[in-house]
Amino acid sequence: MAWTDYATAPQPGTRICEADRVNPVLSLRVGGDRGGFPLLVLRVGDGFRAYVNACPHQYLPLDHRGDRILSADGTMLMCTAHGARFDITTGQAVQGADCGLDPVPVLLSEGMLVIDDAP
């Protein structure tokens, strides 16, 4: 599913948070006209990645049962509900799921992360 298919998907240009808050991963709900949108934002190298915070196995948030969702080596996101693992740079499933996380395009603008309009 594409992130835009979610009922609460925010509009491009929606402000997410100050980039300094992301260290190395931040789980939050982005408010918009349609309600709260579950989002994970990660600092990856010199950039940022964002994914819908919904494991494709059961659509529970990755941090449903705790906030330890980043692997010890920092290369994978982990679902606390059933243990699936996802590559932080692509969102693709590494273990325990048949498909990956839904990426959300973000950009850095004047110290703020915002939803991008890129596909």
Side-chain angles (χ1 to χ4, degrees):
M1 173 183 321
W3 73 275
T4 53
D5 293 336
Y6 288 81
T8 59
Q11 297 296 317
T14 300
R15 294 167 59 121
I16 300 169
C17 67
E18 293 175 349
D20 291 346
R21 288 186 55 201
V22 182
N23 190 25
V25 61
L26 178 65
S27 170
L28 70 157
R29 294 185 75 75
V30 177
D33 303 2
R34 304 174 194 166
F37 182 73
L39 190 65
L40 289 173
V41 184
L42 299 100
R43 189 176 291 272
V44 179
D46 292 335
F48 296 90
R49 297 276 192 277
Y51 301 101
V52 177
N53 188 4
C55 179
H57 182 246
Q58 296 176 337
Y59 284 94
L60 292 171
L62 268 64
D63 54 351
H64 179 68
R65 292 190 178 154
D67 60 359
R68 297 191 53 122
I69 60 173
L70 191 63
S71 64
D73 66 1
T75 64
M76 291 179 281
L77 288 168
M78 303 178 298
C79 176
T80 59
H82 76 287
R85 294 172 180 252
F86 306 91
D87 182 276
I88 64 166
T89 59
T90 65
Q92 291 302 306
V94 175
Q95 175 185 349
D98 292 335
C99 55
L101 300 174
D102 298 316
V104 178
V106 295
L107 62 87
L108 182 61
S109 176
E110 298 178 8
M112 291 291 296
L113 289 170
V114 298
I115 303 291
D116 196 359
D117 60 359

